[in-house]
């Protein structure tokens, strides 16, 4: 199959290229015309926070739009700036998508005790996710237009935070530039260096366009496209590079361009295909979590990986057909110059490294395991949650609004709990009043607001302000105390139903839901990957070894991410790890780690078969010699691309990019260059053992042609 695809794409190069260009232009033309319809599905069936939201909706209290807070600060007191503030609020009330503005001067509780900090509430006519950025910027411009003479004006709310988060592109651009530099150093020509990047851009560009269209039918979160770009760019360059490196090796050996293309696709192309399948399997395992936004992300990224595979197997051979003769002259000339200078043959350093590890495999294994174990240990204390304005850059208006509200009204003001009351022996208002009184006396509660009845009068809500910030562990403990101890006691007294909801409680519920479903997800992903690798390598021990080492690299990535983002190392704002991130990292990194596993072990197996299955030690050395440089180069590109996303203003992308970069570094440098050669040396011939019953059941898959 791979030979036929490679031959057809190489011979019909212009047809293949035109088809890909037509797909890219056509998809984006339609996507631009219809626009996107991303939906952030945060529903959590079976959780108390979701039950509280459903109860409010049932009683007519569903919120149509969100709010923006205009936070004011003046050391001389807000009374003295009233003549400047009220005209500004009146102007804001006339702006598009603004429903109502509640003045700071109409609500005594909206001003701090010392009178220096206060806030006005802007009710939007649409949810924050649907608020056009230009309309939010108008509110910001009008509000901050009165600043000066001691008056500070900052804006808070999800709509304001979305303005900053939309300012992406720096990370992507930096990653592409760094990738281009590495590829030029590797291949010595800009055209050759540009091919892997072109493959990635075609694949990712087409897939993002498809997802824009699919968002009108399926639930796809707004944060999905950056994740697709992050993974697709790294994987696309990775896959194209693995095939292109084999193609270059065949040209240097004297093969004609078409023969080199066919050989590269028949060997490295097979590895890319099955490596991509493991990534897709791992991503599809995320659907077992049963969470809408994660399912949409998983399917979208899986489609991205599939498109990168298709581009690597069809578009790349076409481009090699166009530039093949030029590449043949350039690569052969460089090889001749190296030989004329008496330089070692390619892979000699990797061959020596493998030999050094083989001399003391146990020592190398123990040293690497200790390093990875120490790095993975912090992952045991990861705390899941969601970021808020307290994690935004210190110079952002949303962060300064957050800090001012905390200073004026207490740290819990930015994340109140919402207690919903329904039924009881008396009225809902009376039951809510009982709750407000009891909760106000609970340790960890700073204050409670007066009960607010729902429009139908059948239920009521009470806002509870913790003494600690939304992301503080004490706030998590308070949610548990209210649900397990305080409110059940009230229910026993008056028969009313009390539910703790709100954004802070929903974050805790979401994190708990993910933690509960993680074991099933891990079992599915690891189990399917082991079965696939058994079929590919005809071995039991190699897949088990691969699964364990992948788990170790994931643990190291999570541990490093915990130190940096939860504990605040390297100057990042401390806070919980985004609840989405660990499962995304597990699925994607587990699949990506299998890429290098398949590429390295398949080459070892190729050498093992070539030598008549007589010398496993030589197969290990030659396998690393032929793939070590390519794996390192591919890993370097993925590392710089992923690490560049730390420059993103979105904390989700910062955490994801950092964890991916650490995982790929660990996998390519420590695991593939030290642990794998050591383990394969210790296993010897047993590495390729497969019980006869399993051999009969498993399909036989050939990764290479010798």
């Amino acid at each position: 199959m791979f030979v036929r695809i490679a031959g057809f794409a190489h011979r019909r190069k212009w047809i293949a290229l035109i088809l890909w260009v037509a797909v890219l232009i056509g998809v984006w033309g339609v996507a631009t015309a219809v626009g996107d319809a991303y939906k952030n599905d945060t529903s959590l069936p079976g959780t108390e926070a979701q039950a509280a939201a459903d109860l409010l909706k049932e009683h007519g209290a569903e919120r149509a739009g969100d709010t923006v807070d205009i936070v004011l600060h003046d050391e001389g007191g807000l009374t003295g700036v009233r003549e400047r503030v009220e005209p500004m609020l009146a102007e804001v009330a006339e702006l598009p998508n603004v429903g109502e503005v509640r003045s700071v001067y109409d609500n005594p509780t909206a001003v701090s005790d010392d009178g220096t900090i206060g806030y006005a509430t802007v009710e939007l006519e649409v949810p924050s996710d649907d608020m056009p950025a230009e309309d939010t910027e108008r509110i910001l411009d009008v509000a901050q237009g009165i600043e000066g003479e001691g008056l500070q004006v900052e804006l808070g709310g999800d709509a304001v935070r979305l303005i900053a988060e939309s300012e992406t592109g720096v990370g992507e651009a930096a990653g592409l530039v760094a990738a281009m530099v590495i590829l030029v150093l590797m291949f010595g020509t800009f055209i050759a260096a540009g091919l892997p990047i072109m493959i990635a851009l075609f694949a990712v560009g087409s897939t993002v366009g498809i997802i824009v269209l699919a968002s009108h039918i399926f639930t796809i979160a707004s944060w999905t496209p950056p994740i697709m770009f992050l993974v697709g760019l790294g994987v696309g360059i990775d896959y194209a590079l693995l095939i292109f490196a084999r193609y270059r090796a065949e040209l240097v050996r004297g093969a004609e361009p078409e023969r080199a293309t066919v050989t590269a696709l028949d060997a490295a192309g097979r590895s890319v295909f099955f490596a991509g399948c493991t990534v897709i399997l791992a991503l599809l395992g995320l659907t077992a979590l049963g969470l809408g936004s994660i399912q949409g992300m998983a399917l979208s990224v899986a489609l991205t990986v599939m498109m990168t595979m298709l581009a690597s197997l069809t578009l790349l051979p076409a481009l090699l057909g166009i530039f093949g003769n030029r590449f043949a002259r350039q690569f052969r000339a460089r090889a001749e110059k190296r030989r004329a200078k008496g330089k070692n043959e390619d892979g000699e350093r990797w061959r020596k490294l493998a030999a050094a590890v083989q001399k003391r495999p146990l020592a190398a294994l123990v040293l690497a395991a200790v390093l990875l174990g120490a790095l993975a240990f912090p992952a045991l204390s990861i705390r899941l949650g969601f970021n808020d304005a307290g994690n935004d850059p210190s110079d952002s208006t949303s962060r300064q609004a957050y800090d001012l509200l905390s200073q004026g009204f207490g740290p819990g003001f930015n994340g109140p709990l919402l207690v919903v009351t329904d039924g009881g022996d008396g009225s809902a208002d009376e039951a809510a009043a009982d709750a407000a009184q009891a909760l106000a006396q609970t340790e960890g509660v700073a204050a409670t607001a007066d009960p607010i009845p729902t429009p139908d009068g059948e239920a009521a809500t009470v806002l509870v302000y913790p003494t600690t910030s939304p992301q503080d562990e004490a706030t998590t403990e308070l949610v548990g105390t209210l649900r397990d101890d305080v409110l059940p006691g009230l229910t026993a007294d008056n028969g009313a139903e009390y539910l703790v909801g709100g954004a802070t409680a929903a974050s805790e519920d979401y994190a708990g839901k993910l933690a509960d479903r993680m074991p099933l997800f891990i079992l599915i992903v690891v189990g399917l990957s082991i079965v696939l690798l058994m079929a590919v390598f005809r071995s039991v021990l190699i897949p088990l070894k691969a699964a364990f080492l992948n788990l170790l690299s994931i643990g190291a990535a999570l541990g490093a991410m915990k130190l940096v983002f939860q504990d605040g190392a390297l100057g990042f704002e401390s806070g919980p790890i985004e609840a989405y991130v660990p499962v995304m990292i597990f699925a994607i990194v587990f699949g990506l780690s299998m890429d290098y596993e398949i590429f390295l072990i398949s080459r070892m197996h190729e050498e093992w078969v070539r030598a008549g299955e007589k010398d496993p030690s030589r197969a290990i050395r030659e396998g690393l010699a032929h793939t070590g440089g390519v794996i390192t180069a591919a890993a370097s590109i993925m590392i710089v691309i992923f690490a560049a996303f730390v420059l993103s203003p979105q904390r989700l992308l910062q955490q994801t990019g950092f964890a991916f970069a650490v995982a790929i570094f660990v996998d390519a440098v420590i695991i593939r260059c030290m642990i794998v050669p050591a383990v394969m040396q210790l296993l010897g011939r047993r590495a390729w053992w497969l019980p006869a019953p399993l051999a009969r059941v498993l399909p036989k898959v050939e990764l290479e042609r010798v």
Side-chain angles (χ1 to χ4, degrees), residues 234-477:
V235 171
I237 295 176
D238 196 38
Y239 290 171
L241 177 59
L242 296 181
I243 295 173
F244 192 62
R246 183 63 180 258
Y247 168 79
R248 181 183 65 168
E250 295 299 324
L251 286 179
V252 172
R253 290 177 183 174
E256 291 303 312
E258 183 173 355
R259 183 69 256 170
T261 301
V262 172
T263 302
L265 265 292
D266 197 32
R270 291 169 182 266
S271 299
V272 164
F273 176 77
F274 288 103
C277 288
T278 60
V279 180
I280 292 172
L281 279 176
L283 286 164
L284 294 181
L286 286 171
T287 59
L289 295 172
L291 301 174
S293 293
I294 289 185
Q295 287 179 329
M297 181 278 300
L299 294 173
S300 300
V301 178
L303 180 61
T304 305
V305 175
M306 186 179 73
M307 289 293 285
T308 60
M309 284 196 308
L310 290 176
S312 298
L313 299 176
T314 58
L315 179 58
L316 180 58
L319 295 175
L320 295 180
I322 295 173
F323 298 106
N325 291 328
R326 175 182 294 186
F327 290 155
R329 292 192 300 270
Q330 291 174 338
F331 293 151
R332 288 167 184 168
R334 291 190 69 194
E336 286 295 331
K337 289 180 180 179
R338 287 179 59 85
R339 283 192 288 268
K341 293 179 179 179
K343 292 186 177 181
N344 293 331
E345 62 176 298
D346 288 343
E348 185 61 30
R349 286 178 295 176
W350 298 102
R351 193 174 286 108
K352 291 180 179 179
L353 174 62
V357 171
Q358 287 176 313
K359 287 182 180 179
R360 293 180 175 80
L362 193 58
L365 185 60
V366 170
L367 176 61
V370 170
L371 288 174
L372 294 185
L375 194 57
F377 181 75
L380 298 175
S381 55
I382 276 182
R383 186 164 59 89
L384 301 180
F386 289 98
N387 75 84
D388 58 23
N391 303 117
D392 291 348
S394 58
D395 59 349
S396 65
T397 186
S398 56
R399 171 61 183 276
Q400 294 187 48
Y402 181 98
D403 291 341
L404 285 173
L405 290 174
S406 297
Q407 177 185 336
F409 303 95
F413 185 84
N414 286 293
L417 305 176
L418 182 68
V419 176
V420 183
T421 305
D422 185 32
D425 298 333
S427 68
D429 287 349
E430 292 175 351
D434 292 341
Q437 183 178 0
L439 293 172
Q441 300 172 0
T442 302
E443 184 178 356
V445 174
T448 59
D450 294 334
I452 301 175
T454 56
D456 63 2
E458 297 296 324
T461 60
V462 177
L463 282 177
V464 180
Y465 297 98
T467 57
T468 50
S469 67
Q471 295 182 0
D472 197 299
E473 288 187 65
T475 305
T476 302
E477 295 172 0

Side-chain angles (χ1 to χ4, degrees), residues 19 36 131 330 408 447 469 545 642:
L19 285 175
D36 64 71
M131 182 72 172
Q330 291 174 338
S469 67
K545 177 263 304 175
F642 292 152

Side-chain angles (χ1 to χ4, degrees), residues 415-697:
L417 305 176
L418 182 68
V419 176
V420 183
T421 305
D422 185 32
D425 298 333
S427 68
D429 287 349
E430 292 175 351
D434 292 341
Q437 183 178 0
L439 293 172
Q441 300 172 0
T442 302
E443 184 178 356
V445 174
T448 59
D450 294 334
I452 301 175
T454 56
D456 63 2
E458 297 296 324
T461 60
V462 177
L463 282 177
V464 180
Y465 297 98
T467 57
T468 50
S469 67
Q471 295 182 0
D472 197 299
E473 288 187 65
T475 305
T476 302
E477 295 172 0
L478 177 62
V479 173
T481 299
L482 298 186
R483 288 175 170 175
D484 300 336
D485 301 327
V486 179
L487 296 176
L490 289 175
T491 299
D493 293 338
N494 58 26
E497 178 185 7
Y498 295 100
L499 299 171
V500 180
T504 302
S507 297
E508 302 300 332
D509 287 348
Y510 204 104
K513 201 79 167 179
L514 284 174
D516 292 342
R517 297 184 183 183
M518 275 292 286
L520 174 62
F521 161 65
I522 292 174
L523 182 63
I524 291 174
V525 172
V526 175
L528 289 176
S529 299
I530 287 176
V531 172
L532 178 62
L533 289 187
M534 282 185 181
V536 169
F537 292 123
R538 315 299 294 173
S539 167
V540 171
L541 298 180
I542 287 177
L544 292 176
K545 177 263 304 175
F548 176 76
L549 293 181
N550 288 355
L551 292 174
L552 198 57
S553 67
I554 292 169
L558 293 177
M561 182 178 64
K562 186 262 182 185
L563 292 175
V564 171
F565 291 98
Q566 183 175 318
D567 297 341
L570 302 182
F572 286 88
E573 293 288 342
S574 61
I577 301 301
E578 292 288 302
Y580 301 123
V581 169
V583 293
M584 282 197 303
I585 290 172
F586 186 95
I588 296 172
V589 169
F590 193 91
L592 292 179
S593 296
M594 287 297 183
D595 287 359
Y596 298 141
E597 175 75 11
I598 289 176
F599 195 68
L600 173 59
I601 299 299
S602 64
R603 193 57 190 258
M604 289 182 179
H605 189 251
E606 182 177 344
E607 298 297 332
W608 164 255
V609 174
R610 191 194 303 274
E613 301 184 358
K614 295 178 180 179
D615 190 354
S617 295
R618 181 185 177 280
I620 295 169
R621 289 193 299 274
E622 293 304 311
L624 187 60
H626 287 293
T627 62
V630 178
I631 288 177
T632 303
S636 299
I637 291 171
M638 294 185 79
I639 289 169
V640 296
I641 288 175
F642 292 152
F645 275 77
V646 176
L647 302 175
S648 169
Q650 297 187 44
R651 189 172 171 86
L652 174 69
L653 291 181
Q654 290 176 349
Q655 293 180 357
T656 305
F658 177 82
F660 284 169
V662 172
I664 296 300
F665 175 82
V666 166
D667 190 84
V669 176
I670 300 178
I671 291 180
R672 303 303 154 202
C673 297
M674 291 181 62
I675 297 181
V676 170
V679 172
M680 294 295 288
Q681 179 68 23
L682 292 172
L683 291 177
R685 293 177 178 271
R686 294 185 296 275
W688 309 106
W689 170 74
L690 182 69
L694 271 179
R696 288 192 294 269
V697 173

Side-chain angles (χ1 to χ4, degrees), residues 152-172:
Q152 178 185 2
V153 182
E154 307 294 348
L155 267 65
D158 290 338
V160 179
R161 299 186 67 211
L162 288 174
I163 298 177
E165 290 183 353
S166 65
E167 297 171 359
T168 57
V170 177
E172 294 93 323

